[in-house]
Short mmCIF file of all heavy atoms in Angstrom, two decimals:
data_model
loop_
_atom_site.label_atom_id
_atom_site.label_comp_id
_atom_site.label_asym_id
_atom_site.label_seq_id
_atom_site.Cartn_x
_atom_site.Cartn_y
_atom_site.Cartn_z
N VAL A 1 3.52 -7.19 7.41
CA VAL A 1 2.29 -7.86 7.69
C VAL A 1 2.18 -8.26 9.17
O VAL A 1 1.13 -8.06 9.77
CB VAL A 1 2.15 -9.15 6.78
CG1 VAL A 1 0.91 -9.92 7.15
CG2 VAL A 1 2.14 -8.76 5.34
N GLY A 2 3.21 -8.79 9.75
CA GLY A 2 3.16 -9.29 11.12
C GLY A 2 2.87 -8.19 12.17
O GLY A 2 2.30 -8.49 13.20
N GLU A 3 3.20 -6.98 11.90
CA GLU A 3 3.00 -5.90 12.85
C GLU A 3 1.70 -5.11 12.59
O GLU A 3 1.27 -4.34 13.44
CB GLU A 3 4.19 -4.89 12.76
CG GLU A 3 5.51 -5.48 13.17
CD GLU A 3 6.63 -4.48 12.88
OE1 GLU A 3 6.35 -3.29 12.64
OE2 GLU A 3 7.79 -4.91 12.99
N ALA A 4 1.18 -5.21 11.43
CA ALA A 4 0.08 -4.34 10.97
C ALA A 4 -1.16 -4.43 11.83
O ALA A 4 -1.71 -3.43 12.25
CB ALA A 4 -0.24 -4.63 9.53
N GLU A 5 -1.65 -5.63 12.10
CA GLU A 5 -2.89 -5.76 12.86
C GLU A 5 -2.76 -5.22 14.27
O GLU A 5 -3.64 -4.51 14.74
CB GLU A 5 -3.36 -7.20 12.90
CG GLU A 5 -3.91 -7.65 11.52
CD GLU A 5 -4.53 -9.03 11.54
OE1 GLU A 5 -4.83 -9.54 12.66
OE2 GLU A 5 -4.72 -9.60 10.45
N ALA A 6 -1.64 -5.43 14.90
CA ALA A 6 -1.41 -4.91 16.26
C ALA A 6 -1.36 -3.38 16.23
O ALA A 6 -1.95 -2.73 17.09
CB ALA A 6 -0.11 -5.48 16.88
N ARG A 7 -0.67 -2.84 15.23
CA ARG A 7 -0.64 -1.35 15.14
C ARG A 7 -2.01 -0.75 14.83
O ARG A 7 -2.35 0.31 15.34
CB ARG A 7 0.37 -0.95 14.07
CG ARG A 7 1.80 -1.14 14.51
CD ARG A 7 2.79 -0.57 13.53
NE ARG A 7 2.56 0.83 13.37
CZ ARG A 7 3.04 1.56 12.37
NH1 ARG A 7 3.78 1.01 11.41
NH2 ARG A 7 2.81 2.85 12.31
N ALA A 8 -2.78 -1.46 14.01
CA ALA A 8 -4.15 -0.99 13.71
C ALA A 8 -5.03 -0.99 14.97
O ALA A 8 -5.78 0.00 15.21
CB ALA A 8 -4.76 -1.80 12.58
N LYS A 9 -4.96 -2.02 15.74
CA LYS A 9 -5.74 -2.11 17.00
C LYS A 9 -5.30 -1.02 17.97
O LYS A 9 -6.14 -0.38 18.55
CB LYS A 9 -5.55 -3.48 17.64
CG LYS A 9 -6.39 -4.58 17.00
CD LYS A 9 -6.19 -5.88 17.73
CE LYS A 9 -7.00 -6.98 17.02
NZ LYS A 9 -6.82 -8.28 17.66
N ALA A 10 -4.01 -0.85 18.11
CA ALA A 10 -3.52 0.20 19.04
C ALA A 10 -3.87 1.60 18.63
O ALA A 10 -4.18 2.43 19.43
CB ALA A 10 -1.99 0.05 19.18
N SER A 11 -3.88 1.86 17.28
CA SER A 11 -4.15 3.25 16.82
C SER A 11 -5.63 3.50 16.50
O SER A 11 -6.04 4.62 16.42
CB SER A 11 -3.34 3.48 15.55
OG SER A 11 -3.78 2.66 14.50
N GLY A 12 -6.41 2.41 16.29
CA GLY A 12 -7.80 2.58 15.87
C GLY A 12 -7.92 2.91 14.38
O GLY A 12 -9.04 3.16 13.90
N LYS A 13 -6.84 2.89 13.65
CA LYS A 13 -6.86 3.19 12.21
C LYS A 13 -7.17 1.92 11.45
O LYS A 13 -6.83 0.82 11.84
CB LYS A 13 -5.50 3.71 11.71
CG LYS A 13 -5.08 5.04 12.32
CD LYS A 13 -3.66 5.40 11.77
CE LYS A 13 -3.17 6.66 12.32
NZ LYS A 13 -1.81 6.98 11.80
N PRO A 14 -7.81 2.07 10.26
CA PRO A 14 -8.02 0.92 9.40
C PRO A 14 -6.69 0.49 8.74
O PRO A 14 -5.78 1.30 8.63
CB PRO A 14 -9.04 1.41 8.36
CG PRO A 14 -8.88 2.93 8.35
CD PRO A 14 -8.41 3.32 9.73
N LEU A 15 -6.67 -0.75 8.36
CA LEU A 15 -5.54 -1.27 7.56
C LEU A 15 -5.76 -0.97 6.15
O LEU A 15 -6.89 -1.00 5.65
CB LEU A 15 -5.46 -2.79 7.73
CG LEU A 15 -4.91 -3.31 9.08
CD1 LEU A 15 -5.31 -4.78 9.26
CD2 LEU A 15 -3.44 -3.16 9.12
N LEU A 16 -4.69 -0.67 5.40
CA LEU A 16 -4.77 -0.49 3.97
C LEU A 16 -3.76 -1.52 3.37
O LEU A 16 -2.57 -1.37 3.57
CB LEU A 16 -4.39 0.92 3.54
CG LEU A 16 -4.19 1.06 2.00
CD1 LEU A 16 -5.53 0.88 1.25
CD2 LEU A 16 -3.63 2.43 1.68
N TYR A 17 -4.33 -2.54 2.70
CA TYR A 17 -3.43 -3.52 2.04
C TYR A 17 -3.40 -3.08 0.57
O TYR A 17 -4.42 -2.83 -0.08
CB TYR A 17 -4.04 -4.90 2.11
CG TYR A 17 -3.98 -5.54 3.48
CD1 TYR A 17 -5.12 -5.66 4.24
CD2 TYR A 17 -2.78 -6.05 3.95
CE1 TYR A 17 -5.07 -6.25 5.50
CE2 TYR A 17 -2.71 -6.65 5.19
CZ TYR A 17 -3.87 -6.78 5.97
OH TYR A 17 -3.82 -7.35 7.20
N GLU A 18 -2.16 -3.07 0.05
CA GLU A 18 -1.94 -2.82 -1.38
C GLU A 18 -1.33 -4.08 -1.91
O GLU A 18 -0.24 -4.47 -1.61
CB GLU A 18 -1.03 -1.62 -1.61
CG GLU A 18 -0.87 -1.29 -3.07
CD GLU A 18 0.48 -1.48 -3.68
OE1 GLU A 18 1.44 -1.68 -2.93
OE2 GLU A 18 0.60 -1.39 -4.92
N PHE A 19 -2.12 -4.83 -2.72
CA PHE A 19 -1.66 -6.01 -3.40
C PHE A 19 -1.14 -5.64 -4.79
O PHE A 19 -1.90 -5.09 -5.60
CB PHE A 19 -2.81 -7.03 -3.54
CG PHE A 19 -3.25 -7.61 -2.20
CD1 PHE A 19 -4.22 -6.98 -1.45
CD2 PHE A 19 -2.70 -8.78 -1.73
CE1 PHE A 19 -4.62 -7.49 -0.25
CE2 PHE A 19 -3.11 -9.34 -0.53
CZ PHE A 19 -4.08 -8.67 0.27
N SER A 20 0.11 -5.96 -5.01
CA SER A 20 0.73 -5.57 -6.34
C SER A 20 1.79 -6.60 -6.70
O SER A 20 2.03 -7.52 -5.95
CB SER A 20 1.32 -4.17 -6.23
OG SER A 20 2.41 -4.17 -5.34
N ALA A 21 2.33 -6.42 -7.87
CA ALA A 21 3.38 -7.32 -8.36
C ALA A 21 4.46 -6.50 -9.10
O ALA A 21 4.15 -5.47 -9.72
CB ALA A 21 2.76 -8.37 -9.29
N GLU A 22 5.69 -7.03 -9.06
CA GLU A 22 6.77 -6.33 -9.73
C GLU A 22 6.57 -6.27 -11.25
O GLU A 22 7.03 -5.35 -11.89
CB GLU A 22 8.12 -7.03 -9.44
CG GLU A 22 8.57 -6.82 -8.01
CD GLU A 22 9.88 -7.52 -7.69
OE1 GLU A 22 10.36 -8.32 -8.52
OE2 GLU A 22 10.43 -7.28 -6.60
N TRP A 23 5.89 -7.24 -11.81
CA TRP A 23 5.71 -7.33 -13.22
C TRP A 23 4.45 -6.60 -13.72
O TRP A 23 4.15 -6.59 -14.89
CB TRP A 23 5.62 -8.79 -13.70
CG TRP A 23 4.76 -9.66 -12.80
CD1 TRP A 23 5.21 -10.49 -11.81
CD2 TRP A 23 3.32 -9.78 -12.85
NE1 TRP A 23 4.11 -11.09 -11.20
CE2 TRP A 23 2.99 -10.65 -11.82
CE3 TRP A 23 2.34 -9.21 -13.61
CZ2 TRP A 23 1.65 -10.99 -11.54
CZ3 TRP A 23 1.04 -9.52 -13.36
CH2 TRP A 23 0.70 -10.41 -12.30
N CYS A 24 3.71 -5.98 -12.81
CA CYS A 24 2.39 -5.38 -13.14
C CYS A 24 2.57 -3.92 -13.54
O CYS A 24 2.98 -3.06 -12.76
CB CYS A 24 1.50 -5.47 -11.84
SG CYS A 24 0.03 -4.49 -11.95
N GLY A 25 2.28 -3.62 -14.81
CA GLY A 25 2.35 -2.24 -15.34
C GLY A 25 1.53 -1.23 -14.61
O GLY A 25 2.00 -0.20 -14.19
N PRO A 26 0.18 -1.51 -14.41
CA PRO A 26 -0.64 -0.59 -13.70
C PRO A 26 -0.15 -0.34 -12.26
O PRO A 26 -0.34 0.73 -11.70
CB PRO A 26 -2.03 -1.23 -13.70
CG PRO A 26 -2.03 -2.05 -14.96
CD PRO A 26 -0.60 -2.58 -15.06
N CYS A 27 0.43 -1.36 -11.63
CA CYS A 27 0.98 -1.21 -10.29
C CYS A 27 2.10 -0.18 -10.25
O CYS A 27 2.18 0.64 -9.35
CB CYS A 27 1.51 -2.57 -9.73
SG CYS A 27 0.28 -3.86 -9.62
N LYS A 28 2.97 -0.23 -11.26
CA LYS A 28 4.06 0.72 -11.37
C LYS A 28 3.53 2.14 -11.57
O LYS A 28 4.09 3.09 -11.02
CB LYS A 28 5.01 0.34 -12.51
CG LYS A 28 5.77 -0.95 -12.22
CD LYS A 28 6.62 -1.39 -13.43
CE LYS A 28 7.28 -2.70 -13.14
NZ LYS A 28 8.04 -3.22 -14.24
N ILE A 29 2.48 2.29 -12.38
CA ILE A 29 1.90 3.59 -12.60
C ILE A 29 1.28 4.12 -11.34
O ILE A 29 1.46 5.29 -10.99
CB ILE A 29 0.88 3.54 -13.74
CG1 ILE A 29 1.54 3.17 -15.07
CG2 ILE A 29 0.13 4.86 -13.94
CD1 ILE A 29 0.61 2.81 -16.19
N MET A 30 0.57 3.24 -10.61
CA MET A 30 0.01 3.68 -9.31
C MET A 30 1.10 4.04 -8.36
O MET A 30 0.97 5.04 -7.60
CB MET A 30 -0.90 2.58 -8.72
CG MET A 30 -1.61 3.06 -7.45
SD MET A 30 -2.98 1.98 -6.88
CE MET A 30 -2.18 0.46 -6.59
N GLN A 31 2.19 3.32 -8.34
CA GLN A 31 3.32 3.68 -7.47
C GLN A 31 3.79 5.11 -7.79
O GLN A 31 4.00 5.88 -6.86
CB GLN A 31 4.48 2.67 -7.69
CG GLN A 31 5.79 3.07 -7.11
CD GLN A 31 5.78 3.14 -5.61
OE1 GLN A 31 5.12 2.42 -4.94
NE2 GLN A 31 6.51 4.12 -5.05
N ARG A 32 3.98 5.40 -9.07
CA ARG A 32 4.45 6.68 -9.50
C ARG A 32 3.47 7.80 -9.18
O ARG A 32 3.83 8.89 -8.71
CB ARG A 32 4.75 6.61 -11.00
CG ARG A 32 5.98 7.24 -11.46
CD ARG A 32 6.29 7.14 -12.92
NE ARG A 32 5.19 6.86 -13.83
CZ ARG A 32 5.03 5.73 -14.49
NH1 ARG A 32 5.90 4.75 -14.34
NH2 ARG A 32 4.01 5.56 -15.29
N GLU A 33 2.16 7.59 -9.48
CA GLU A 33 1.18 8.63 -9.35
C GLU A 33 0.57 8.78 -7.99
O GLU A 33 0.04 9.86 -7.68
CB GLU A 33 0.08 8.38 -10.41
CG GLU A 33 0.54 8.47 -11.82
CD GLU A 33 -0.51 8.21 -12.85
OE1 GLU A 33 -1.65 7.84 -12.48
OE2 GLU A 33 -0.22 8.36 -14.05
N VAL A 34 0.52 7.71 -7.20
CA VAL A 34 -0.12 7.79 -5.88
C VAL A 34 0.87 7.72 -4.72
O VAL A 34 0.93 8.62 -3.88
CB VAL A 34 -1.24 6.71 -5.71
CG1 VAL A 34 -1.87 6.75 -4.36
CG2 VAL A 34 -2.30 6.90 -6.85
N PHE A 35 1.64 6.64 -4.68
CA PHE A 35 2.52 6.39 -3.51
C PHE A 35 3.77 7.27 -3.51
O PHE A 35 4.40 7.45 -2.46
CB PHE A 35 2.90 4.94 -3.40
CG PHE A 35 1.68 4.04 -3.34
CD1 PHE A 35 1.56 2.95 -4.17
CD2 PHE A 35 0.66 4.29 -2.46
CE1 PHE A 35 0.46 2.13 -4.15
CE2 PHE A 35 -0.49 3.50 -2.44
CZ PHE A 35 -0.56 2.39 -3.25
N ALA A 36 4.13 7.83 -4.68
CA ALA A 36 5.27 8.74 -4.76
C ALA A 36 4.82 10.21 -4.71
O ALA A 36 5.63 11.10 -4.73
CB ALA A 36 6.11 8.51 -6.02
N ASN A 37 3.55 10.43 -4.58
CA ASN A 37 2.96 11.77 -4.46
C ASN A 37 2.90 12.17 -3.01
O ASN A 37 2.30 11.49 -2.16
CB ASN A 37 1.58 11.77 -5.09
CG ASN A 37 0.87 13.09 -4.96
OD1 ASN A 37 0.36 13.46 -3.89
ND2 ASN A 37 0.78 13.82 -6.07
N ALA A 38 3.48 13.33 -2.68
CA ALA A 38 3.54 13.73 -1.27
C ALA A 38 2.17 13.90 -0.61
O ALA A 38 1.97 13.47 0.53
CB ALA A 38 4.31 15.06 -1.13
N LYS A 39 1.20 14.47 -1.31
CA LYS A 39 -0.10 14.73 -0.73
C LYS A 39 -0.87 13.41 -0.44
O LYS A 39 -1.47 13.20 0.63
CB LYS A 39 -0.93 15.62 -1.67
CG LYS A 39 -2.19 16.14 -1.04
CD LYS A 39 -2.87 17.14 -1.92
CE LYS A 39 -4.15 17.67 -1.27
NZ LYS A 39 -4.80 18.66 -2.08
#
């Protein structure tokens, strides 16, 4: 979090925040299907 805004300003890219929880079932599925997917 502390570095994100500075990196976004320097790169001109938008920030993407992913709010999740360890106990959240849909979060785990999204992890498997989106964040673990190479593309």
Side-chain angles (χ1 to χ4, degrees):
V1 175
E3 298 173 10
E5 287 186 18
R7 287 189 59 198
K9 282 183 183 178
S11 68
K13 294 179 182 179
L15 286 162
L16 171 65
Y17 289 105
E18 186 244 349
F19 290 88
S20 64
E22 289 180 350
W23 45 261
C24 168
C27 299
K28 292 176 184 177
I29 296 169
M30 185 165 62
Q31 167 64 36
R32 225 179 18 250
E33 295 179 355
V34 177
F35 304 129
N37 177 285
K39 190 173 182 179

